[in-house]
Each structure stands twice: as structure tokens, then as C-alpha cells.
Amino acid sequence: MDLKQLRTFREVADSGSLSRAADRLHLAQPALSRQIRLLEAEIGLPLFARHGRGMQLTEAGTALLERIDGPVRQLERAVEEVRGLAGAVAGQVALGMMPTIASVLAGPLARRVALDHPGLSLRIVEGYTGHLVEWVQRGVTDATLLYGPAPALHLRVTPLLIEEMVLVGAAGSGIGPEAVAFASLAGRRLVMPSRQHGLRRIVEAAAGRARIGLNVAFEADSFGVLKELVVSGIGEAVLPRSAIREEEAAGRLRSAPLVRPVPRRQVVLALPTDRAPSRAVALVLELLAQEVTVRAAAGDWHRMEGATAEAAPPPARSAPSRPMALAPAAPPPAPAGHPGPPPPSPAPGRRRTRRRSPD
């Protein structure tokens, strides 16, 4: 077993296809197939189930991927850092984000990376807070953005921004621009993420302070689906304003500030404590800070400077961020701080943002 075999295995698992993996690695497909066969022979178990649509991980393959993904990335980073001593920085930086933040930051950040550091590629990994914490601790990602205040989970945390959340409705909903009392949400039909989602916990905590229950008519863990449900007029939502700018400008959504209380989300940057960020990671994080500053100047966010995030209980383990769950009205929400029973942890879903296609 060698690093080449493990990298080949990881790429095939990620792409789900020998042909796509061969294109990414710039290798012949028979050579990749041979590497996989050698690895399976050494382990003594099949790692993939072959079918007409591609390659699917077996139970053994899933277990292997979970255990080698972080260590392989650390070895790759070590090689890239040593090579970088002789010239321009190169390699890949993996950054974890919540979907609502990725929808705003991923594109602009990728463009900055492509323009300023063409030797770097950026991989955005979307997920819930619980998974984002796990992935950065395991080395699957180099750094991650989390909802704050961050749990004390052996991560080096820097407060990044605060954003107010607003009530969002369809174009004909009559919402906005006047402020709306949070207590009025008790009589509104809401579309929300499921309870393991950080946004849901923020809204339910505000509902607890307002002493109201919420009428959650539909749930959608896909952020894009959630917005489309609101556009269709079947319900309203509480969302970060920055994440609906495009729909507001197009006249598809309307928003209004919420008061008494004002729901806010804090976003922090988290780094592992057991390893220093590489030069490549430091450069990407510098560009991230620049983009946050631009957004703050535009009024989307409030930039946090030198603050200290207090510890909070860790979030419940959650389902992957990419699949969408659409369901009829859920039972009454649990009290704030009790997000309900956690579902099993999945393998991380990935969205790649490469320097070749920064847009």
C-alpha cells in the first residue's frame, strides 16, 4: 500500500467513476483500475461495488475513506509546503462552510484566489456545524467557518462576523420594508431547515426569548430549495439578508427586519490546534478576511475585530447538508438549546471550486 494507491482510491470514491477520476488525475483508466485492484487485494475486501452508473463504495470502502482522507491530505500538504519554499505557493486548500455562507462567499473567494494565487485551488466543503467541526479536526479540511459562539472542541477560534436575520416572503406577501415584531411569527406559516441546522436553532432560541411557538409548515435542508419554497408563496422564512440579495434585487423575494428580539447569527473561523496553517492556507484566509471586509462595508455584515467567542454546548450531529428533506408540519419545537435527537453522521458531501473555473 502506498500513497499513490490511496490517492487513487480517494479520487475514485470522490468522483464515483473510474473515467472521471482518470481525467482528474491525468492518468489512463487501466492504470487506475490496476491501482484499485492492488489495494483491494492487499486489504482483502472489495472497496467498490461496480455497476453501470459507476463505482459505489462498499462498507469497507467507506470505512477506509473515513480513516485515510485526513492523513493523506496532510501528507499532500507537507509535500506542497516543502515545494513552496522554492517558489510560488501551489496546492489545494479545503475550507468548510455552512451552505448559507457558501452561497455568498464561495464564488467571490474563489475569484480572489484565482487572480492572486493562480497556483492554488480551493475546495469548498459544505456541511452542518457538527460535521464541519469533525472534518477540520480530522484534517479533511484545513479551516472551517462555524456558527458562534463556538463549542470548546479543541479548535482555535476567531470571531469573524455578525449578521442580522430577517423575515422573508414571496413578492406578493406584503412583507417589508417596515420592521416586524418577532412575536408575530407565531401566526405565520414558516418554511425552515430541520432542527439539526444552525439557522433553525438560532430562530428557535429567539422564539424562546419571545415566548412563542413556531408554526413550521415545511422543512428543507437544501438552502436553494428553501428559498424556492418561499418564492412559491407556501410559507415565509427567517434567513440571513446577505443570502437573499439576488432574489430581492430580482423582485422574487421581499424582506423585513425582525425586532424584539433581533435574531442574529455569529460566524467564527476555526482552525485545528494540533497543526499550524500552511502558507497556502494562510494566504486563502487572508483573502477570506478581505472579502468579509468588503461585505461589511456594503452593509451585509458586521465585522468582528478582536472579540473572543464564549463556549457553548456542541451542536447535535446532523444529516448531510446537500440532500433536501421536505416534510409536512413538524411537531412543536423543542425548547431552545435542545435540537432533538441527532441522525447518524454521513460521509462529507463536497462541492469543488477549482481555480480553472472561478465563476
Side-chain angles (χ1 to χ4, degrees):
M1 184 184 304
D2 57 29
L3 181 59
K4 180 184 293 185
Q5 290 175 347
L6 294 177
R7 292 179 66 185
T8 298
F9 163 72
R10 186 188 62 180
E11 197 65 42
V12 174
D14 192 45
S15 63
S17 163
L18 274 175
S19 59
R20 285 193 293 269
D23 290 341
R24 291 179 181 178
L25 295 173
H26 307 291
L27 294 173
Q29 187 170 328
L32 262 68
S33 182
R34 181 173 180 275
Q35 293 289 338
I36 296 297
R37 288 199 304 271
L38 289 173
L39 186 58
E40 289 178 323
E42 184 168 350
I43 292 176
L45 291 169
L47 301 175
F48 292 97
R50 281 79 168 171
H51 52 75
R53 296 184 302 276
M55 308 272 283
Q56 183 176 357
L57 285 170
T58 62
E59 182 178 357
T62 299
L64 180 63
L65 181 63
E66 290 176 350
R67 287 159 176 78
I68 63 97
D69 198 9
V72 169
R73 277 191 52 78
Q74 291 181 42
L75 285 171
E76 291 172 337
R77 280 194 296 266
V79 173
E80 290 162 2
E81 288 174 32
V82 173
R83 287 175 176 167
L85 297 176
V89 180
Q92 185 184 82
V93 174
L95 183 61
M97 293 185 186
M98 303 84 74
T100 52
I101 289 290
S103 69
V104 177
L105 273 183
L109 179 59
R111 284 190 287 273
R112 285 179 179 269
V113 171
L115 289 172
D116 292 4
H117 305 290
L120 288 178
S121 69
L122 178 65
R123 181 163 67 96
I124 301 297
V125 185
E126 289 185 345
Y128 293 119
T129 299
H131 294 121
L132 293 172
V133 169
E134 177 187 346
W135 297 336
V136 75
Q137 288 176 334
R138 285 171 40 202
V140 175
T141 57
D142 300 296
T144 194
L145 301 182
L146 304 170
Y147 287 118
L153 294 175
H154 308 293
L155 293 173
R156 190 163 68 254
V157 173
T158 302
L160 197 61
L161 62 95
I162 288 180
E163 181 176 21
E164 295 178 358
M165 298 170 64
V166 296
L167 178 64
V168 180
S173 63
I175 289 177
E178 296 81 10
V180 174
F182 194 96
S184 71
L185 267 60
R188 296 176 182 269
R189 183 179 173 90
L190 297 177
V191 179
M192 295 182 66
S194 58
R195 286 188 179 132
Q196 62 264 23
H197 198 290
L199 286 178
R200 175 73 171 262
R201 294 198 301 272
I202 292 171
V203 176
E204 289 191 344
R209 295 195 298 275
R211 301 179 183 276
I212 63 168
L214 299 174
N215 174 24
V216 182
F218 291 92
E219 294 182 345
D221 284 340
S222 163
F223 184 55
V225 171
L226 191 150
K227 288 195 291 186
E228 286 304 314
L229 292 176
V230 177
V231 168
S232 73
I234 68 169
E236 297 162 354
V238 179
L239 297 172
R241 172 162 275 152
S242 64
I244 60 164
R245 288 291 191 194
E246 184 177 336
E247 289 81 4
E248 273 198 299
R252 301 177 69 216
L253 291 175
R254 293 174 59 88
S255 68
L258 286 163
V259 294
R260 301 190 303 275
V262 178
R264 295 182 176 92
R265 68 169 179 176
Q266 177 185 345
V267 177
V268 301
L269 173 67
L271 293 160
T273 58
D274 60 349
R275 60 186 184 274
S278 67
R279 186 178 167 203
V281 172
L283 290 173
V284 169
L285 296 184
E286 181 181 337
L287 296 179
L288 172 67
Q290 292 174 14
E291 186 60 33
V292 170
T293 299
V294 169
R295 293 282 174 173
D300 286 341
W301 295 331
H302 302 290
R303 177 76 189 272
M304 300 181 67
E305 300 285 355
T308 301
E310 59 182 297
R317 293 293 295 270
S318 54
S321 58
R322 297 180 72 179
M324 182 274 291
L326 180 62
H338 296 275
S345 173
R350 297 176 180 172
R351 184 176 75 191
R352 289 183 180 265
T353 307
R354 294 186 178 275
R355 65 181 180 89
R356 295 191 299 273
S357 303
D359 293 323

